[in-house]
Amino acid sequence: MSDRALRLQAFRQAIAGIACTDAGDVLDAKSSDYHWYSPLLKEQLAGKRGELLVRPANEAEVIRVAAACAKQRLPLTVRGGGTGNYGQCVPLEGGVILDITGLDRVLEVQPGSVLCEAGILILALERAVRAHPAMPGGQELLMYPSTRDIATIGGFIAGGYGGAGTVRNGILKDPGNVSLIRVVTLEETPRVIELHGADIQKVHHAYGTNGIITQLRLALKPAVEWVHHIALFPGYADALRFGCEATEAVGTSLDAFLLTAVDRRFSPFYRSEFGDRFPADADAVFSMVHPARLGRWRELLGRHGGRESMALTEPQLRDQGLSPAFECGWNHTTLMALRSDPTWTNLQTVHAWTPGRGIDIDLVERQMARYGDEVLMHHEFGRNAGGCVSFGLPLVSYFDRERLYEIIREHEADGCLVFDNHVVTIEDGGMKTIDDAQIAFKRIADPHGLMNPGKTRGWLPSSAVP
Ligand code: FAD
C-alpha cells in the first residue's frame, strides 16, 4: 500500500461515524465546479480529483475531520455548492473534499442580523429570514450571487464578491455586511477562532485556504417584494446612460436591488424564455425595482428613450415559468449564452466611474466598434466602498489563448481594470498582489499548508510547518 493510501486509511479510521465516500462518480462530480466557463481552466484542471469525500453534520464533526487531516498531512478542499468559476473547488493535489452542506442551520435571527451555519443554501437562508418573526414583514439578505438557489452562504463569503443587492448595499467586503466569521483551524488539535470587524477580511475571498468557516453573522434589511423588470432601449448607449443615472439615484430618489445592462445580441439566448420581452432589435436593462419607486423608475427610463417590457414579482415570474431578473445578470448572463454555444467565454472588467457622469460610454462604443461580433457587451451596476461602480462582464467568442490575452491587454490599455477569470490563484485573478494579512492568518489556521493547496501564490511549500 502506498504511503498516501495508508494515510487515507488512518484518516478514515479517525473519522469513523462521519459520512464519507470514495465512490468514483461522487468524487468526479464533487471535484469540479463551473471553471469550464474558461477554456483555459478547463484544459488546466482536467483530471484533477479528490480521493475521499466527507460530509460532517456539525461543527464537532468538522473539528474531527480537521484534526485527522492535519495529523495525516492530507490536503483538504472545502466545498459548498461548487458553483465557483475559477476552479476554487477543484482539488489540485487530491486529498479530502469536505462537503460543508451538512452545516445548514439558522442559529439566530434578530432585527438587522442573522447568525447561521456556513453550509446553508443562500435560498434557504433568504426564505428563513423573510419568514422569521424577529421583524414584522420579514427581513432580507443584503446581497447574493445570481447562483442564490444552489450556492452556500459560506462559499459566497469564501469565494464570491457581490451580486444582486450590490447596487443597493455594496460588495461583501464593505464594512458591516458580514460582522462575524467563525473558523476551525487545520491543526492536530483544531481551534475555533471568531473574527469580527475588519479581521473578517483575513478569510473573506481566501478560497478556503485559511480555515474552515462554520458560522457567519450577516446584516439584514427589512424585506422588499422586488419587482423584476425589463426595460428596452433603442441603443446600448441609452441603456448605459439610464444605468449610470439610476445607479447614482439608488438610495435617494430611486431604489433597486439589481441593475444589469446587456446589448441586443444577447436576445437570442433569452428568446425561448422571454420572447418579445427581449426582442432582437433592442438593448435591455434587467433590474429589481422597489415597488414604491416603480413610478420614478418608469419616468427615468422614459427620459432615456426606454420602454417597459416586464414588471413582475418573483412569485408571478415563477407562476409563468420565467427566471427571476437576477438569473439574467452577473455570471448567469454568460451561462445563458453558454447553454446555446459552448465556445463563448467572458472577461471581468471594472470601468472607471466619474460622479455625476458614470462610466465612459464613448469608450464602450469604441470597444463595440473595435470587436464587432467577437465581444458582446454586458455591464453590471453597483456600489463599492460607498461609491458607484460598473463591472463589465463582456462575452468573448473564444479563439485561442493569445487572442484572449490580447483582448485583455486592450481593455487594460483602455483604462479598464481586469480581474482575470482564467487563472486559479486568488492573486492572479484579483488585485495582483498577495494579501499579507490572509497569509499571516493562514500560518495560524493552516500551519501545514494543507488547505486548497495551489490556490494562493502567497504560500510557498517552504512556508509550511512540516
Ligand atoms: P463553492 O464553489 O463551493 O466554494 C467557493 C470557494 O469557497 C472554494 O474555494 C471553497 O473551497 C471555499 N469554501 C466554500 N465553503 C467554505 C467554507 N465553509 N469554509 C472555507 N472555505 C469554503 N459570484 C459572485 O460573487 N456573484 C455572482 O453574482 C455570481 N454569479 C454566478 C453565476 C453563475 C452562473 C456561476 C456559475 C457562478 C457565479 N458566481 C458569482 C460564483 C459563485 O457562484 C458564488 O461565488 C457562490 O457564492 C459560491 O458559493 P458555493 O457554495 O458554490 O461555493
Side-chain angles (χ1 to χ4, degrees):
M1 213 184 237
S2 68
D3 175 59
R4 182 64 156 244
L6 285 169
R7 285 171 189 269
L8 281 165
Q9 192 180 53
F11 171 82
R12 286 186 92 146
Q13 281 162 2
I15 61 148
I18 299 177
C20 149
T21 178
D22 59 3
D25 54 341
V26 177
L27 292 177
D28 282 343
K30 300 288 183 182
S31 297
S32 194
D33 57 12
Y34 282 67
H35 67 271
W36 48 264
Y37 266 44
S38 162
L40 302 182
L41 290 181
K42 199 173 164 183
E43 193 182 314
Q44 186 187 342
L45 299 179
K48 303 285 181 202
R49 202 170 87 141
E51 292 153 278
L52 198 65
L53 179 99
V54 290
R55 189 171 185 271
N58 50 47
E59 189 180 82
E61 290 192 356
V62 169
I63 290 170
R64 280 181 62 205
V65 171
C69 255
K71 188 162 181 210
Q72 298 305 327
R73 300 292 194 269
L74 287 168
L76 176 126
T77 305
V78 186
R79 182 184 177 86
T83 65
N85 293 108
Y86 326 123
Q88 294 107 307
C89 265
V90 178
L92 298 183
E93 296 182 14
V96 175
I97 301 165
L98 189 158
D99 176 343
I100 196 76
T101 57
L103 276 73
D104 62 354
R105 289 179 306 149
V106 176
L107 301 171
E108 182 187 68
V109 184
Q110 293 177 355
S113 76
V114 58
L115 178 69
C116 63
E117 290 188 319
I120 188 170
L121 286 184
I122 302 173
L123 173 64
L125 182 60
E126 173 78 356
R127 282 185 178 153
V129 299
R130 278 185 177 263
H132 196 280
M135 187 179 278
Q139 303 184 79
E140 66 179 21
L141 296 170
L142 266 51
M143 67 198 71
Y144 41 76
S146 57
T147 44
R148 180 195 76 175
D149 293 7
I150 52 172
T152 63
I153 194 66
F156 187 37
I157 307 302
Y161 183 81
T166 286
V167 72
R168 190 181 201 224
N169 300 310
I171 56 173
L172 280 172
K173 196 174 186 173
D174 288 337
N177 288 345
V178 184
S179 58
L180 164 78
I181 296 184
R182 184 175 158 104
V183 296
V184 169
T185 64
L186 211 79
E187 301 175 279
E188 285 91 335
T189 308
R191 286 167 294 154
V192 177
I193 300 177
E194 293 198 345
L195 301 170
H196 302 265
D199 278 349
I200 280 161
Q201 307 309 334
K202 293 176 181 174
V203 170
H204 164 48
H205 206 73
Y207 288 9
T209 57
N210 60 4
I212 304 166
I213 303 172
T214 54
Q215 290 180 19
L216 302 140
R217 187 181 289 282
L218 307 161
L220 300 175
K221 283 191 175 173
V224 175
E225 187 66 87
W226 297 100
V227 177
H228 297 240
H229 193 274
I230 305 178
L232 303 175
F233 293 85
Y236 193 56
D238 302 305
L240 290 180
R241 272 189 283 273
F242 167 78
C244 291
E245 197 175 333
T247 301
E248 292 208 330
V250 167
T252 51
S253 57
L254 297 178
D255 198 359
F257 199 74
L258 175 85
L259 189 37
T260 303
V262 286
D263 85 46
R264 61 190 60 199
R265 292 167 297 172
F266 280 86
S267 163
F269 312 133
Y270 290 75
R271 192 104 193 116
S272 62
E273 188 172 349
F274 288 96
D276 285 344
R277 295 178 184 94
F278 184 9
D281 60 355
D283 303 280
V285 168
F286 288 81
S287 55
M288 289 163 70
V289 186
H290 197 298
R293 295 297 166 96
L294 194 53
R296 288 190 172 190
W297 196 261
R298 287 171 173 149
E299 261 172 47
L300 183 66
L301 79 91
R303 272 198 274 128
H304 286 278
R307 67 183 168 89
E308 180 177 289
S309 67
M310 189 185 88
L312 297 169
T313 62
E314 196 170 338
Q316 289 168 337
L317 285 167
R318 301 278 185 207
D319 283 350
Q320 297 189 30
L322 296 171
S323 299
F326 64 82
E327 287 185 2
C328 302
W330 296 87
N331 262 329
H332 260 80
T333 311
T334 308
L335 187 60
M336 292 269 192
L338 279 164
R339 279 182 186 140
S340 27
D341 180 353
T343 62
W344 288 110
T345 187
N346 69 357
L347 298 183
Q348 297 181 161
T349 69
V350 182
H351 288 255
W353 189 285
T354 309
R357 281 192 36 221
I359 62 168
D360 182 349
I361 294 170
D362 292 344
L363 169 66
V364 178
E365 290 195 303
R366 285 199 302 278
Q367 290 174 330
M368 290 174 85
R370 185 195 297 153
Y371 297 118
D373 285 341
E374 188 180 13
V375 175
L376 313 189
M377 284 298 168
H378 164 198
H379 289 83
E380 291 293 334
F381 291 90
R383 291 195 140 59
N384 174 4
C388 298
V389 65
S390 178
F391 304 100
L393 284 158
L395 204 58
V396 178
S397 177
Y398 183 70
F399 180 68
D400 66 10
R401 180 191 185 92
E402 204 178 317
R403 178 64 186 142
L404 187 68
Y405 277 95
E406 192 173 41
I407 296 172
I408 288 177
R409 280 193 301 275
E410 286 167 354
H411 275 76
E412 286 171 340
D414 287 341
C416 298
L417 192 64
V418 178
F419 293 128
D420 189 350
N421 50 320
H422 302 277
V423 291
V424 288
T425 64
I426 308 167
E427 297 82 7
D428 292 321
M431 299 304 288
K432 322 292 179 206
T433 56
I434 291 163
D435 185 330
D436 293 332
Q438 288 194 344
I439 299 300
F441 190 67
K442 185 170 171 69
R443 284 195 197 94
I444 295 166
D446 179 29
H448 308 298
L450 299 168
M451 292 199 67
N452 217 353
K455 301 291 170 59
T456 169
R457 281 204 280 114
W459 185 266
L460 305 171
S462 57
S463 316
V465 173

